[in-house]
Amino acid sequence: EIVMTQSPATLSVSPGERATLSCRASQSVSSNLAWYQQKPGQAPRLLIYGASTRATGIPARFSGSGSGTEFTLTISSLQSEDFAVYYCQHYNNWPPPPWTFGQGTKVEIK
Amino acid sequence: EVQLVESGGGLVQPGGSLRLSCAASGFTFSNYSMNWVRQAPGKGLEWVSYISNSSSTIYYADSVKGRFTISRGNAKNSLYLQMNSLRAEDTALYYCARGAGKSHLFDYWGQGTLVTVSS
């Protein structure tokens, strides 16, 4: 099973500032990495797939990078609606499932 | 508009059973794989089970293997999860999530149905 580790657990950021979230895989997942945003009381929403491709309707201030085992989600200028929990997930075809999530990074208002 | 609506959650005693359903609309259901993902209260996301569009391929997380059964009815645009031998640690919000193309990421999610296992 591939273990996904996110850091930090909590990130305190002021509106308008940049946020950088990290995700590490225990073995290479190539670019088979997705990021999701979850707001309180809501279902997760797909933000990024293929490590760097924004999903439909996702603003350009969200960007993803990385490959192999190290990945980054950057929010260039935080808006009020961006304060949420962010999860990374690998979806590599090998090894067989589970397709695991990181434990999440909570982005909170500083 | 893609919509996924889960139902069937509730309070059940340890060892009991429950069947979850997910009604899909806004897309050609038979063309997509589907998944169940759960979230224990205050915790992160855990993938539970996968079913291919034709039901030919099915996977389970080790934590539910042998107790849960995923199925689908393409004529009814519905996904199911039969949960048996429920344990306290199965308490969670259960989401159905559409698989994106041939990859195992989840591009649309329902709002979830809550399963509580308690005596």
Side-chain angles (χ1 to χ4, degrees):
Chain A
E1 173 178 329
I2 297 176
V3 177
M4 308 301 294
T5 303
Q6 291 185 241
S7 61
T10 303
L11 188 61
S12 298
V13 185
S14 299
E17 288 189 341
R18 182 187 196 91
T20 303
L21 290 66
S22 296
C23 174
R24 174 177 292 177
S26 61
Q27 65 186 79
S28 176
V29 298
S30 185
S31 295
N32 297 313
L33 191 285
W35 289 94
Y36 301 86
Q37 176 194 66
Q38 187 178 34
K39 297 179 182 179
Q42 295 187 17
R45 176 176 70 147
L46 177 65
L47 291 179
I48 300 281
Y49 62 93
S52 61
T53 303
R54 282 188 302 276
T56 304
I58 301 304
R61 64 181 180 272
F62 291 92
S63 63
S65 63
S67 66
T69 62
E70 301 284 343
F71 301 90
T72 300
L73 174 69
T74 301
I75 311 171
S76 60
S77 177
L78 271 156
Q79 306 298 303
S80 57
E81 61 266 31
D82 301 335
F83 292 96
V85 180
Y86 294 84
Y87 295 94
C88 63
Q89 177 230 342
H90 92 81
Y91 53 95
N92 224 33
N93 282 327
W94 187 262
W99 299 296
T100 46
F101 294 86
Q103 77 278 23
T105 290
K106 181 180 181 180
V107 177
E108 64 176 25
I109 300 175
K110 187 173 182 181
Chain B
E1 178 193 5
V2 172
Q3 283 200 318
L4 299 168
V5 180
E6 302 92 339
S7 61
L11 175 63
V12 61
Q13 292 188 341
S17 298
L18 217 50
R19 189 193 196 211
L20 307 184
S21 299
C22 172
S25 61
F27 64 102
T28 304
F29 183 71
S30 59
N31 287 350
Y32 289 85
S33 63
M34 296 295 296
N35 299 265
W36 289 98
V37 178
R38 69 184 180 184
Q39 186 169 36
K43 303 296 185 183
L45 301 168
E46 179 189 16
W47 169 80
V48 172
S49 185
Y50 161 94
I51 186 167
S52 63
N53 65 320
S54 64
S55 303
S56 59
T57 302
I58 286 174
Y59 296 118
Y60 298 98
D62 286 347
S63 57
V64 306
K65 202 173 294 181
R67 301 186 299 121
F68 289 12
T69 302
I70 192 172
S71 61
R72 63 190 294 160
N74 285 346
K76 294 186 176 181
N77 291 337
S78 293
L79 174 71
Y80 308 101
L81 186 67
Q82 177 67 43
M83 304 186 296
N84 298 331
S85 303
L86 282 161
R87 306 167 180 167
E89 54 265 35
D90 296 318
T91 294
L93 189 60
Y94 285 74
Y95 295 103
C96 72
R98 192 179 82 167
K102 293 185 178 182
S103 60
H104 302 294
L105 60 97
F106 316 121
D107 60 356
Y108 287 93
W109 300 61
Q111 286 303 304
T113 186
L114 181 63
V115 172
T116 303
V117 184
S118 175
S119 55

